[in-house]
Amino acid sequence: MSVLVLVEHTDGNIKKKSFEAVQYAAEIAKKINTTATALVLGTIADSELENLGTYGVQKVLHVADKKLDELHARAYASALIAAAQKEGSKIIIALHDINGKAVAPRVAVKLKAGLVSGALSYPDLDKGFVLKKAVFSGKAFAFVNITSDVKVITLMANSFPLAPGSGKASIEKLDVTFGDKDFGIKVKSVDKVTGEVSLVDAELVVSGGRGMKGPENWGLIEDLAKQLGAATACSRPVADAGWRPHHEHVGQTGGTIRPNLYIAVGISGAIQHLAGVNGSKVIVVINKDPEAPFFKAANYGVVGDAMEILPKLTEAVKKFKQHK
Amino acid sequence: MKILVCISQVPDTSTKIMLKDNDTAVNTQGTTYIINPYDEWYALIRALELKESGVATDVHLITVGKADTEPVIRKALALGGDQAVRIDADSIDPYQTANYIADYAKTVGYDLVLCGKESIDYNNGSVGVMIAELLDADYIGFATNIEVEGTTATVKREIEGGEETDLVNFPVVIACQKGVAEARIPNMRGIMAARTKPLNVIAPTAGAAVTTILSYEMPPAKAGVKMISPDNMDELVELLHSEAKVI
Ligand SMILES: Cc1cc2nc3c(=O)[nH]c(=O)nc-3n(C[C@H](O)[C@H](O)[C@H](O)COP(=O)(O)OP(=O)(O)OC[C@H]3O[C@@H](n4cnc5c(N)ncnc54)[C@H](O)[C@@H]3O)c2cc1C
């Protein structure tokens, strides 16, 4: 009855958040005195698969079909079902990201299993199988009990720090017989963003609002982001005005992010904006208005003109990095 | 071509959430409800555009909820759509909601089911995928553009680390986000017309929930903001390093 976890990789490199999911699965396995198994799909080297052992899985199942290099959610679901059958898994874990959200609900329906989307905690086994998750876009948390025999969880990235050990995992190739509908979606073209830090996965984020006055001032945001190795985000009016691309818009109607550090520059802190960022561990607010509501949600605040403060902050970060 | 648009009722985005009954329930007294923004701004409007351009013949709306959700579904009908169905149930979890909707959808046979990328109350984003699975249909999430030709949709969608364009055959469930359409405001004619459009109330099929919410918790209050002088950015960086430990 191994705990099964779906692992994601980018061109053969396992994502950090997948190591988090693997470690999470291994911790749950420990709690219930069993082992954890990782399922990896597509083209990836054995040497990379071996790394999974250090996060606590005993076994890695690898389906080496290169058609799986693209997201084919139905095929991913078939592979998970096959792996779950092989391992007798009653607990199945994926990430709460674009891939996991497309796959986990399918697996849950196929297995008539309860699903908790975006889990933030380990299951509380004293009360049943209870997981904490954010609801109302982070304005509250809910404790959700899974009542079915089989349980499916999508884990929110950046919820648990990584603590690699020294375990080794055995690698086994798995053959899956796919159904004729599993590859029904034809991928016409793919456009991968390379180089930039992806916003949803970023640990540090610098974000600008209408207080930045116009797109011509975004160099100041980018300079700071670059110095920190951070991703950039923005408020909704900024994206609506076309100053920044829409995928940078965070908030209730944009992206939800949970970085370790969110630096909000010239953003007032409307409730709809906070809904997308209130899971951030530390918030720094830079605003010329000392009454800006965002200060109430901040850990550190600086009152002043962003145009003057940003270059100073960038310089300070640069100095810090040099002396570290 | 027949389109079904899933409409969810959610608290207005400016709602302050409050709990009651020993934190086992959300206090909804005084809450104003809106159509889930993703359902309204993107899924519904794109469906209406497809009808206006002659691609779709029928646009039906569906919601799962008790009678108190009718004002919201009438609001949706004021934007457009031929008729609406309300499945008369307080659904407990996404699995139950998806079963209700899929069971109804099977009786009509839709080519395209549109929904928002997630509802902003429980933030699961799982109902659309579950409907697809129950209908044995394909599913595309996080769509940013939808074009239809014959029985095929060309869909642009966000993927991990980028974007891709897919071709998919009907029937398909597509979850929409920004880019799919532009929000509209209902006009007087729409509001008048909505009053007389059919709103069929049907009983839910048998579908058990597999999860329940036991209780809620409010986020911990922030300890209070530490103000730093704009002339002392070195101090801020030092605090982020040694106190907050984030850099
Ligand atoms: C249904 C709905 C959904 C919404 N969804 C979202 C969402 O997802 N995300 C989102 O962000 N918003 C959303 N909004 C909009 C939200 O209510 C706010 O209007 C928006 O967040 C404000 O953006 P802002 O803070 O950039 O601009 P403003 O509110 O205009 O604030 C600008 C801030 O910059 C400061 N400032 C000005 N000049 C300077 C300077 N030189 N230096 C430093 N500070 C300066 C000002 O003091 C002010 O606090 C939504 C609204 C609705 C009704």
Side-chain angles (χ1 to χ4, degrees):
Chain A
M1 210 231 79
S2 195
V3 176
L4 183 64
V5 54
L6 177 65
V7 170
E8 295 177 25
H9 58 93
T10 314
D11 304 328
N13 297 307
I14 294 169
K15 298 176 187 175
K16 172 176 171 272
K17 59 185 175 180
S18 274
F19 287 128
E20 292 169 15
V22 165
Q23 179 178 292
Y24 178 79
E27 281 298 317
I28 295 179
K30 244 191 261 167
K31 273 183 180 228
I32 56 171
N33 290 319
T34 183
T35 55
T37 302
L39 174 67
V40 190
L41 309 174
T43 317
I44 184 167
D46 280 357
S47 55
E48 181 73 358
L49 295 178
E50 277 163 11
N51 291 335
L52 291 167
T54 57
Y55 295 98
V57 287
Q58 282 74 15
K59 192 199 269 184
V60 176
L61 294 175
H62 180 204
V63 188
D65 191 327
K66 78 173 193 310
K67 285 202 297 257
L68 299 169
D69 291 344
E70 291 165 342
L71 168 60
H72 289 284
R74 298 179 90 170
Y76 284 24
S78 295
L80 265 171
I81 300 283
Q85 258 162 13
K86 182 174 186 315
E87 299 296 306
S89 305
K90 294 280 179 78
I91 302 173
I92 300 170
I93 293 158
L95 279 164
H96 195 58
D97 65 2
I98 291 177
N99 291 348
K101 286 180 198 175
V103 177
R106 280 205 186 263
V107 172
V109 168
K110 279 184 199 290
L111 299 175
K112 295 192 166 45
L115 164 69
V116 170
S117 303
L120 298 167
S121 72
Y122 288 113
D124 179 347
L125 303 175
D126 295 336
K127 299 197 183 96
F129 196 93
V130 182
L131 293 140
K132 180 179 179 176
K133 67 159 288 184
V135 290
F136 302 103
S137 307
K139 292 177 197 169
F141 299 104
F143 293 89
V144 188
N145 188 23
I146 304 183
T147 50
S148 53
D149 180 35
V150 180
K151 281 112 176 142
V152 181
I153 303 169
T154 59
L155 173 70
M156 191 69 91
N158 207 15
S159 298
F160 296 97
L162 284 177
S166 56
K168 264 214 155 5
S170 62
I171 301 168
E172 222 176 272
K173 301 290 160 190
L174 178 68
D175 273 324
V176 177
T177 317
F178 292 106
D180 49 349
K181 288 184 170 169
D182 281 353
F183 295 94
I185 296 175
K186 296 276 163 284
V187 179
K188 228 173 99 183
S189 63
V190 180
D191 193 3
K192 291 246 178 186
V193 183
T194 48
E196 292 170 46
V197 186
S198 128
L199 179 56
V200 278
D201 296 332
E203 292 181 6
L204 311 175
V205 174
V206 184
S207 184
R210 205 143 56 178
M212 286 304 296
K213 304 283 193 275
E216 66 279 8
N217 294 322
W218 240 266
L220 297 174
I221 298 271
E222 279 163 354
D223 286 347
L224 176 59
K226 209 165 158 209
Q227 248 342 298
L228 283 166
T232 54
C234 68
S235 68
R236 184 172 142 208
V238 164
D240 284 348
W243 297 357
R244 297 300 290 175
H246 274 306
H247 67 255
E248 283 199 3
H249 152 204
V250 292
Q252 189 133 24
T253 51
T256 305
I257 55 172
R258 307 178 69 255
N260 291 337
L261 174 62
Y262 184 72
I263 303 182
V265 190
I267 304 176
S268 57
I271 191 164
Q272 294 94 351
H273 183 85
L274 295 180
V277 303
N278 53 16
S280 309
K281 294 204 173 79
V282 174
I283 294 178
V284 174
V285 169
I286 300 173
N287 198 302
K288 70 168 186 199
D289 174 11
E291 302 295 322
F294 218 147
F295 284 117
K296 287 204 183 71
N299 302 85
Y300 301 99
V302 186
V303 176
D305 184 355
M307 312 303 155
E308 286 165 25
I309 293 170
L310 279 172
K312 288 186 198 163
L313 180 54
T314 304
E315 197 48 43
V317 172
K318 196 172 171 185
K319 223 162 64 188
F320 165 78
K321 295 252 154 146
Q322 277 162 1
H323 293 112
K324 201 168 68 173
Chain B
M1 175 190 136
K2 289 189 171 138
I3 306 180
L4 180 67
V5 183
C6 304
I7 299 285
S8 169
Q9 154 172 311
V10 297
D12 183 8
T13 55
S14 60
T15 306
K16 277 217 162 82
I17 300 299
M18 279 179 298
L19 306 179
K20 63 172 188 186
D21 301 345
N22 262 332
D23 296 346
T24 58
V26 176
N27 186 351
T28 53
Q29 220 175 17
T31 302
T32 32
Y33 287 95
I34 57 169
I35 309 168
N36 183 45
Y38 300 109
D39 305 351
E40 176 186 338
W41 300 347
Y42 311 121
L44 175 56
I45 303 299
R46 188 62 193 134
L48 300 177
E49 288 173 355
L50 288 170
K51 175 146 188 188
E52 287 155 8
S53 60
V55 178
T57 50
D58 304 84
V59 174
H60 297 174
L61 319 186
I62 192 164
T63 197
V64 177
K66 303 298 275 187
D68 61 347
T69 60
E70 287 200 2
V72 158
I73 195 103
R74 288 274 176 217
K75 247 185 89 187
L77 282 170
L79 283 158
D82 308 309
Q83 60 177 75
V85 172
R86 177 170 68 80
I87 298 175
D88 188 29
D90 257 332
S91 172
I92 294 173
D93 74 351
Y95 185 68
Q96 199 170 32
T97 307
N99 269 291
Y100 291 159
I101 294 175
D103 285 342
Y104 173 78
K106 280 179 201 162
T107 66
V108 179
Y110 292 96
D111 303 293
L112 181 59
V113 178
L114 295 179
C115 58
K117 74 163 179 179
E118 67 172 40
S119 67
I120 63 167
D121 49 4
Y122 289 97
N123 309 114
N124 291 313
S126 52
V127 169
V129 198
M130 288 182 174
I131 293 171
E133 180 62 31
L134 292 163
L135 295 177
D136 194 20
D138 276 313
Y139 167 85
I140 294 185
F142 299 93
T144 56
N145 190 66
I146 304 170
E147 300 299 337
V148 173
E149 217 185 295
T151 58
T152 310
T154 304
V155 185
K156 204 184 253 187
R157 68 158 149 178
E158 193 183 334
I159 54 170
E160 284 289 312
E163 209 179 46
E164 77 179 26
T165 304
D166 297 331
L167 291 176
V168 63
N169 291 323
F170 294 158
V172 60
V173 180
I174 303 177
C176 306
Q177 63 173 346
K178 197 163 213 151
V180 164
E182 290 286 335
R184 291 182 187 174
I185 297 164
N187 56 29
M188 209 51 210
R189 223 182 56 199
I191 295 167
M192 299 301 287
R195 289 188 193 158
T196 54
K197 284 181 185 172
L199 197 173
N200 305 317
V201 179
I202 61 171
T205 48
V210 278
T211 62
T212 47
I213 294 181
L214 300 183
S215 63
Y216 295 86
E217 185 180 275
M218 296 306 288
K222 285 262 173 190
V225 55
K226 199 177 254 186
M227 299 307 291
I228 318 282
S229 153
D231 297 318
N232 205 351
M233 287 301 99
D234 290 330
E235 185 192 348
L236 177 58
V237 170
E238 182 50 36
L239 286 169
L240 290 176
H241 174 63
S242 57
E243 187 178 80
K245 299 192 167 50
V246 288
I247 61 171

